Structure formats: structure tokens, C-alpha cells
Amino acid sequence: MPIPRIFDSRLALPLIGSPMFLASGVELVLAQCKAGIAGSFPTLNARTPELLDEWLMHIRRELDEWNAANPERLAAPFGANLILHKSNPRRDADLDRVVAHRVPFVITSVGRPDEVVERVHGYGGIVLHDVISAEHARKAVASGVDGLILVCAGAGGHGGTLSPFALLAEVREFWDGPVALAGALSSGRALRAAEVMGADLGYMGTRFLATREAAADAGHKDMIVADSAADIVYTPVFSGIWANYLKNSVRAAGVDPDTLEGRQNGGKDDLFAGLDGKTKAWKDVWSAGQGIGIIRDVPSVAELVARMKHEYAEAAAHPAAFAGAGG
């Protein structure tokens, strides 16, 4: 299966570090790219469009310097995630900056990517679009995207409910272009399994959230290390879109996670009314995917990638020996 040309000979593993709200910043993206993983971040993590300009200039400059000093080990390309929903007031301003800085790949979410495709293709970049169903995938293909990101059951943050076995097979019935697979990938073995299923790339967030370079709260990282898949709750009430969160962060914010089932109104004002007034869903309720059960430490990105390369190679050489811890 194809991998987009911009990744040719630039990846230590067929893997994209997914853009994570608050946690993906300049330090994490640079560490991922230098380790041979395509790093990405949501444009909204830069709190203003002007700061986004600074981030993009910083990333470009440092990766250019790295490549000049390491011609035998070029950095992986970086990407930016654009939220296309009409509720995002920075959608147009952020797209302008992404185009001005010629970001190599753009991840689009929650909306039609037609305009983004046209403008990004204008400078030679590529567009990958998040989908949770075959219907969404068909619409994205019709918009001219270069690749699909299948966000399957168990993915951290906003995600779908379909098994990767089901969604990937169905999408491959009509799409032979690049596919990245998301949903509870936490090891090099899982990445190899995604390839065997027919994906070209893995799309991994939570495992990189628990790294030293991630800009997540230390308590968030500790909770990922301590908890397991049973400690994840899937609910729309914090953002209006279904997503996976750590139950213990919900509990620590003053809400019983066992009361969330059946609530569809999605407003944080209802949930946090009467509390201290400082608790914010976007800040205090932490996301994570179901793959946390094998995450047992908070290494550097370089250490983690080296470990996953070993796991991936072992799985490729000995496919029957997938069992064992991978965190």
C-alpha cells in the first residue's frame, strides 16, 4: 500500500504522532520528527494566530538545522491539524498561516476539507482527513484528500465506535490510497498489526502523551501510567462530540463518571455548576485512549521510538510472538 511521497525515506517507523489538544507543542513535534516519527499539533494549541506563526517558523528553522547537520538521518515531516467546524473562529486565519508556512502535511477534522485541499495542494503539501465511518471516508475522498485517518474504537480524545477490522476493510473496498489507522495503538507490535490489516501508517497519540516532551500536566501523565482501559469513559458531555476520557480525571474534577451515561446535552456548565468556579472541562478532564493498559512509564520520545522500533522488528520477524507488555 502507498505511503505519501513526502514521507519517503524519512520515517524510522510508519507512524504519525497524532495532534493532541494542549499536549502537542513545539517540543513534542520536534522530538518526534527528529526521532523519525511524523509529528503534528492542533493549530489551536498556539493560543493566537500570531503565536502559531512563531511556532511554525521555529519548527521549520530547527528541522532545517537538524537536516543540515544530519544528512544521513533526515527528520520526518511535520504537520498541523485544522478544525474545520464553523464553531472554530480561527479556521480561516490558521489556514492562511499554514499555507504561508507551507506546512508539509495538514490534518483536517470535523468539516469538509475542499478549500484546504485546494490551497494546500497549491504549494505541494498533502491533506489527510479524520473519519469515523465509511460514509465520512467517501465524502473526504470526493473532496480530493490525499489520505484518510481512520479513527476507530478506543482512540483517545474524539473518536468513533467502529472496530478497526470493520472500518479498514470497508474503506479498502473503495479506496486504495494512503490510510493511517488510529485506535488504542501503544506499541511497535500494534503498529505492525495495523500494517498487516492493510493500513499504511499508524496514528498514535496517547502513548506519546506519556513522554517527557509532551506538554501535558504531570498528573495526566501519571494517571495514564497508573490506569487501564477499564478507567476510560466514552461520552459527549464535555465537548458535544463523543470522546474518550480518563474516569479518574472526571472524578477529580468533582463529577461522578458513573452519572454520565445517557447524558447527551454536552454542556460543561451543567456538569460543573456549583463547583469552585475554576474547574474547566477542557483543562481538567483529561483524554486518553484504551491502549493505556500497557503504558507503564514516561520516557523521552527518542527512548520510546527506539523501543517501538525493536518491538516492530520483532513482530515483523516473529509474528506469532506478539504477546507481552509493550508500554
Side-chain angles (χ1 to χ4, degrees):
M1 298 298 178
I3 288 181
R5 186 167 48 85
I6 65 166
F7 297 134
D8 282 353
S9 303
R10 304 288 283 268
L11 297 180
L13 287 168
L15 183 61
I16 297 172
S18 61
M20 297 177 288
F21 183 58
L22 299 183
S24 298
V26 171
E27 185 178 3
L28 180 59
V29 169
L30 287 172
Q32 289 173 324
C33 291
K34 291 176 183 179
I37 300 302
S40 66
F41 69 97
T43 59
L44 292 174
N45 279 4
R47 302 312 297 170
T48 65
E50 293 72 27
L51 183 58
L52 177 59
D53 267 323
E54 294 178 21
W55 281 23
L56 293 173
M57 286 188 289
H58 183 171
I59 292 170
R60 176 75 72 179
R61 181 175 61 250
E62 188 157 332
L63 291 182
D64 285 347
E65 291 173 356
W66 170 272
N67 289 338
N70 299 274
E72 77 293 344
R73 191 159 60 95
L74 298 177
F78 73 96
N81 172 218
L82 288 169
I83 304 300
L84 302 182
H85 194 269
K86 60 185 179 181
S87 64
N88 176 13
R90 283 178 44 184
R91 177 182 55 183
D92 295 338
D94 285 359
L95 176 57
D96 287 344
R97 284 158 172 81
V98 163
V99 171
H101 291 277
R102 303 171 69 90
V103 174
F105 68 95
V106 178
I107 298 166
T108 50
S109 307
V110 198
R112 290 185 60 88
D114 304 65
E115 180 187 358
V116 179
V117 168
E118 180 179 358
R119 296 188 64 185
V120 172
H121 283 180
Y123 64 78
I126 67 170
V127 178
L128 310 176
H129 190 68
D130 280 352
V131 302
I132 62 171
S133 70
E135 178 187 3
H136 290 160
R138 290 181 187 276
K139 290 179 179 179
V141 169
S143 294
V145 300
D146 302 280
L148 300 172
I149 299 168
L150 310 188
V151 187
C152 298
H158 297 145
T161 59
L162 292 178
S163 161
F165 291 96
L167 183 56
L168 181 54
E170 190 170 350
V171 167
R172 281 301 186 204
E173 288 287 304
F174 60 86
W175 172 250
D176 62 1
V179 167
L181 187 65
L185 276 66
S186 294
S187 71
R189 284 184 290 277
L191 176 59
R192 177 59 184 151
E195 277 191 315
V196 171
M197 289 169 56
D200 306 296
L201 298 156
Y203 193 71
M204 188 181 294
T206 302
R207 176 60 272 200
F208 283 103
L209 197 159
T211 58
R212 293 203 288 271
E213 292 88 350
D217 187 285
H220 191 173
K221 298 180 185 183
D222 290 343
M223 196 173 289
I224 287 172
V225 170
D227 287 357
S228 67
D231 298 305
I232 301 294
V233 60
Y234 186 62
T235 178
V237 302
F238 299 113
S239 70
I241 300 175
W242 286 91
N244 282 309
Y245 300 96
L246 289 161
K247 286 183 180 180
N248 284 322
S249 73
V250 176
R251 193 172 286 113
V255 173
D256 181 355
D258 295 331
T259 67
L260 299 179
E261 186 175 353
R263 296 186 64 131
Q264 303 291 329
N265 60 356
K268 69 181 188 308
D269 290 341
D270 288 341
L271 288 170
F272 297 119
L275 298 182
D276 56 18
K278 300 178 182 179
T279 302
K280 305 294 182 184
W282 60 267
K283 176 174 66 72
D284 299 297
V285 177
W286 298 330
S287 67
Q290 291 177 359
I292 63 173
I294 61 168
I295 298 175
R296 292 291 175 258
D297 61 356
V298 184
S300 69
V301 167
E303 292 167 342
L304 176 59
V305 171
R307 180 192 306 168
M308 289 197 297
K309 286 173 66 177
H310 175 73
E311 294 167 348
Y312 178 88
E314 287 262 307
H318 307 288
F322 267 46

